[in-house]
Amino acid sequence: CVGEYSGARDHHEASLQIACSTGLRRLEGEGLANLGLLCHHLGENQAAREHSQRALEIAQELGVREFEASAVTHLGHALAGLGHLAEAADAYRQSLGLRRDLGQAHLATEPLAGLARISLAQNDLARAQTHVEEILSFLQDNTLDGTDEPFRVYLTCYRVLHANQDPPARVLLATAHSLLQDQAAKIDIAAALATGDSTPFGARHLATPPDCRIVWQSDDSGHLPVHLEVHLGFLVSLFRRFLCFSTTIERDRFRHS
């Protein structure tokens, strides 16, 4: 259910408890990694750091490099959220190296996007552009299918290109917008939207907490939303991650159209 923070936490904590009690170290590590990502998107970055660090240690202990790459990516997110940019960059570089060694070019785009965000935060636009151009080169003949947070990658690329006043920024935004529309078509609207239609122009309020209230408001043609409000900074589930980042892409698209 969209907005079920406590439910997501309870689920991950219950899974973690079962894994610990049965000695299933891989599942324990995955539970910690999931909790780390959840805490990061809830703004609890110190807890995210601790969970992700423990997940990383288990991954290294088990020698599962793909799991290690995911855990260290989550650690990078947490460190970036804490403002430890140099440490976050080290974590993203570690993840990037693992993904390249494993031949997982599509998954390498996520730590690359993390490095681009770090560079952007440091106002190093040239370095940020370099990271983004590597992602865009991959996207010429490939997609982000299989990544955890594809719209976060797209949003990062757009923001770097826009900061550099790069013309392809608008093309990228249009591509991301088209993809999110494809994803939106797959959403169970009956489950995601609150009932009732008392607002004008067919506006709907998603059943989300106040800090992530999204208003979809169609114009007279009934096509694209013309007003969306969203507070970025957290993702709870795959659906929630898509929802938050896709609406941000929508907002930026209309702001700069």
Side-chain angles (χ1 to χ4, degrees):
C1 176
V2 179
E4 287 291 338
Y5 292 103
S6 60
R9 189 191 296 273
D10 290 346
H11 170 76
H12 290 315
E13 289 180 344
S15 298
L16 180 59
Q17 184 175 10
I18 292 172
C20 291
S21 64
T22 55
L24 298 174
R25 294 287 282 165
R26 173 66 184 266
L27 290 180
E28 178 185 354
E30 290 177 349
L32 287 165
N34 289 333
L35 270 176
L37 188 60
L38 172 61
C39 288
H40 165 64
H41 289 303
L42 288 172
E44 301 172 8
N45 284 300
Q46 184 54 46
R49 178 182 186 175
E50 293 169 2
H51 292 317
S52 299
Q53 181 63 51
R54 288 173 60 197
L56 176 59
E57 291 168 359
I58 291 174
Q60 291 173 333
E61 171 193 322
L62 297 177
V64 183
R65 302 182 76 203
E66 183 171 359
F67 174 31
E68 180 182 351
S70 294
V72 76
T73 297
H74 295 180
L75 179 60
H77 296 337
L79 290 167
L82 290 168
H84 303 324
L85 300 187
E87 293 177 68
D90 287 341
Y92 288 136
R93 280 191 288 267
Q94 182 178 343
S95 175
L96 180 59
L98 286 165
R99 293 302 189 192
R100 284 172 171 166
D101 288 347
L102 292 166
Q104 298 173 331
H106 63 305
L107 297 177
T109 60
E110 295 189 292
L112 273 171
L115 288 169
R117 289 192 296 274
I118 296 296
S119 297
L120 191 60
Q122 295 172 329
N123 202 34
D124 188 345
L125 299 185
R127 188 180 296 273
Q129 183 82 9
T130 297
H131 294 311
V132 163
E133 286 177 353
E134 185 170 349
I135 296 172
L136 296 180
S137 177
F138 170 80
L139 289 174
Q140 287 181 356
D141 300 307
N142 302 278
T143 70
L144 295 179
D145 290 350
T147 57
D148 285 336
E149 299 177 322
F151 288 101
R152 191 178 201 180
V153 174
Y154 273 114
L155 186 59
T156 298
C157 291
Y158 166 72
R159 287 181 167 165
V160 170
L161 293 175
H162 182 67
N164 281 309
Q165 299 183 335
D166 195 324
R170 296 182 64 143
V171 175
L172 181 71
L173 194 60
T175 300
H177 176 263
S178 176
L179 290 172
L180 76 87
Q181 290 296 314
D182 291 342
Q183 291 296 316
K186 302 174 185 177
I187 295 174
D188 184 351
I189 300 298
L193 297 177
T195 58
D197 187 13
S198 59
T199 51
F201 308 113
R204 296 287 196 278
H205 293 259
L206 294 186
T208 52
D211 60 346
C212 189
R213 186 173 64 85
I214 303 172
V215 181
W216 291 82
Q217 187 178 54
S218 298
D219 58 17
D220 292 337
S221 67
H223 293 151
L224 297 176
V226 297
H227 178 70
L228 303 99
E229 299 173 10
V230 62
H231 182 274
L232 263 177
F234 53 87
L235 302 168
V236 177
S237 63
L238 182 61
F239 175 80
R240 188 161 188 79
R241 288 199 297 273
F242 155 73
L243 193 59
C244 286
F245 284 112
S246 65
T247 50
T248 300
I249 291 171
E250 289 265 21
R251 182 192 63 197
D252 284 340
R253 177 176 179 268
F254 285 103
R255 177 183 297 165
H256 299 291
S257 63

